[in-house]
Amino acid sequence: MVRYADGPRSRVEIAIDAPPDAVWPLVCDIDLPGRFSGEFQRAEWETEGPAPGAVFHGTNRHDAVGEWTTRCTVTGYEEGRSFEWTVGDLDDKTARWRFDLEPEGGGSRLAFTAEMGPGPSGLSAAIAAMPDREEQIVARRLQEWEANMTATVAGIKELAEGGAGADGGAAVG
């Protein structure tokens, strides 16, 4: 059984026909996923970033719960290779998100990973109200995350490859 407290994960990857130095600025633009995700709306730095320990606020919207803002801390940062942030309390995180960028041939491979819990989140109330459906609740949320993550890496690919069509209008899922 997939339980929220076990930290379920989603991961998507994409090959990009552009070198890592062309992709990296897009990966570190915390506001950019708002162009492609159906849930993530925007972000802004509270402290100077991106850098280890930097803080930003992300605004999200979901039809089932409305709009909310999260406080995120950069918990992993290796220039040109990885960018990770933790949502909420660092000792009891709500989620952790991470981009990993690797050279591949003459281009790049971009991976986007997300991990839930174990700290309280919007799913906590739903799971508490329907504990017998926890696996379904978690699985559905992972599917939503994966659709938005896929749209985000596809948008980054389009921008990095110089495509003019990366307007964020297309949804994946």
Side-chain angles (χ1 to χ4, degrees):
M1 176 175 193
V2 178
R3 296 179 117 5
Y4 179 81
D6 295 335
R9 294 177 181 213
S10 284
R11 180 179 173 97
V12 299
E13 293 186 30
I14 197 164
I16 301 175
D17 190 19
D21 63 341
V23 179
W24 182 248
L26 301 170
V27 167
C28 290
D29 180 347
I30 60 163
D31 201 42
L32 184 71
R35 292 178 58 183
F36 308 108
S37 172
E39 183 171 316
F40 176 78
Q41 302 296 297
R42 65 190 168 279
E44 60 184 62
W45 291 106
E46 176 182 308
T47 62
E48 191 171 330
V55 175
F56 66 91
H57 296 271
T59 301
N60 302 281
R61 184 174 190 323
H62 191 285
D63 289 341
V65 294
E67 189 171 289
W68 71 98
T69 300
T70 60
R71 186 171 193 269
C72 306
T73 305
V74 177
T75 50
Y77 184 86
E78 184 181 343
E79 180 79 30
R81 299 204 36 104
S82 62
F83 179 45
E84 173 189 281
W85 63 97
T86 297
V87 181
D89 185 337
L90 295 179
D91 294 324
D92 195 25
K93 68 181 172 34
T94 297
R96 181 175 296 132
W97 299 83
R98 181 180 179 94
F99 284 109
D100 287 293
L101 182 61
E102 300 276 337
E104 182 176 82
S108 306
R109 175 153 299 275
L110 179 62
F112 192 11
T113 307
E115 177 184 353
M116 288 183 184
S121 76
L123 286 187
S124 301
I127 292 168
M130 299 175 282
D132 57 318
R133 296 192 54 212
E134 179 174 5
E135 189 166 15
Q136 293 169 305
I137 293 167
V138 169
R140 179 168 181 184
R141 189 65 177 132
L142 286 172
Q143 288 174 340
E144 290 174 339
W145 276 13
E146 215 166 280
N148 284 309
M149 292 163 68
T150 299
T152 297
V153 297
I156 290 171
K157 173 185 173 76
E158 182 73 21
L159 290 172
E161 292 178 352
D167 63 3
V172 175

